[in-house]
Amino acid sequence: SAMAWRFNSLLLLLLSLGMFRLEASCPEPAMTARGCQAKDRRGRIMENHEFESFYKQGIVPEGEFKDFIACLKTLLPVTFRISRPSSHSFVQRQIEQLARELDHSCSNRSQGGGGEEVPSLRFIDWYQGPGGSAWQLPASVRVSSESSEASKLKLQLDVLASLGLIEYQEAVSMIPVPLLAIRPADDVLDLCASPGSKTRQILHAIGEGEGIVVANDVNAKRCSTMIHQLRACGARSCIVTNHDARRFPPLFIAGEEGGNRSLRQLKFDRILCDVPCSGDGTMRKAPKIWQTWSVRTSASMHGLQLQIARRGSQLLKPGGLLSYSTCSMNPLEDEAVVAALLRESNG
């Protein structure tokens, strides 16, 4: 097809120009000898006694704690989702072909008795989100040599991403939007939208429907970046606003009632509150958090998070849905915020 020809031609052009090179986007944890401290590739120590003491207080079961800490010191896999519903069939075929080629290459290497490990490209079967399917690669592709099978695969995926056909996004980050069960006619508010990956998921769910998406962020520079990204993906029903989410102002829509012009406040069918947090759930991609995390910093986020969730609930239509999420594992930032909001509103 014309699209397949375009993809293959662009891939050859980029290869010839050397425009895509694989780089390690996340430091690889490197365990030293037994009894020594674990460090990432930049030499930062991946330990925090205050963090470990906090999570040992019945938050993480004692029998799982060792595995919990070990997991936090490993690289995240590379995950992505198909980002354009209109191109889903084409992109799905491209990715499935890549997966078959990798499986065939892996089989040949096994029969040949060793050699370089070939990465596997696997379908994320639990993801049923807007736009289509999601896929996963092992973390090893982040640190592979440029001549490796992993590097060649990453190159082909980078081309698809440059065309806007796939979007790299952490698997856990894909969860909140599908939970909202967004319909084409829904009006949706993303209160803390930057960097915009979830906003784009929302837009894919709206599709060609009549719903409006309002993407808000407190940082003007991030809003500007988000505008350019949303424009590039062809967003037509999206408004970007720059407000403190705790005090997000009421929005009004002009209309007519009884032959007279009138204003009505816009309430939302769906609201996403992906709030600022301590980020300890991102240690696998941001090892520096091992050095900066403290109980005080984490606990200090609770008030801000509750205020944002409270404002979101005030802007929600009766019968609407609000999704509250963080990048933290701390119950003070998660369950305690939801519990406080329910207690304030009498459940």
Side-chain angles (χ1 to χ4, degrees), residues 81-83 85 127-133 177-178 200-202 204-206:
R81 58 180 176 79
I82 296 177
S83 56
Y127 180 75
Q128 300 294 329
S133 57
V177 173
R200 290 187 287 276
Q201 277 184 285
I202 293 169
H204 298 149
I206 297 290

Side-chain angles (χ1 to χ4, degrees), residues 92-163:
Q92 184 86 3
R93 289 195 300 270
Q94 293 287 332
I95 294 171
E96 288 175 350
Q97 178 62 28
L98 288 174
R100 285 193 294 270
E101 290 174 358
L102 285 172
D103 287 343
H104 180 69
S105 179
C106 184
S107 176
N108 288 342
R109 292 287 176 93
S110 297
Q111 294 175 5
E116 175 194 330
E117 182 182 353
V118 178
S120 59
L121 179 58
R122 292 292 175 256
F123 176 65
I124 301 177
D125 55 8
W126 55 260
Y127 180 75
Q128 300 294 329
S133 57
W135 299 75
Q136 175 173 304
L137 283 162
S140 59
V141 302
R142 296 184 185 274
V143 290
S144 300
S145 64
E146 293 183 6
S147 61
S148 67
E149 291 284 346
S151 176
K152 295 172 185 176
L153 169 61
K154 184 69 163 52
L155 172 62
Q156 295 177 74
L157 294 176
D158 284 346
V159 172
L160 289 173
S162 71
L163 294 171

Side-chain angles (χ1 to χ4, degrees), residues 10-11 13-22 155 158 162:
L10 181 60
L11 176 58
L13 175 62
L14 293 175
L15 280 168
S16 64
L17 294 176
M19 291 178 64
F20 279 99
R21 302 176 71 86
L22 183 69
L155 172 62
D158 284 346
S162 71

Side-chain angles (χ1 to χ4, degrees), residues 169 172-182 187-203 213-217 245 248 268-276 308-309 311-313 315-316 320-326:
Q169 186 177 359
V172 69
S173 176
M174 300 178 193
I175 295 173
V177 173
L179 291 178
L180 285 171
I182 296 168
D187 296 327
V188 186
L189 172 62
D190 188 351
L191 268 174
C192 307
S194 179
S197 56
K198 294 182 183 68
T199 304
R200 290 187 287 276
Q201 277 184 285
I202 293 169
L203 286 164
V213 179
V214 178
N216 178 70
D217 199 85
F248 189 84
F268 295 92
D269 301 284
R270 304 286 189 265
I271 295 181
L272 177 63
C273 293
D274 188 45
V275 299
I308 294 174
R311 185 56 183 148
S313 67
L315 296 167
L316 196 63
L321 294 177
L322 182 147
S323 172
Y324 174 85
S325 59
T326 74

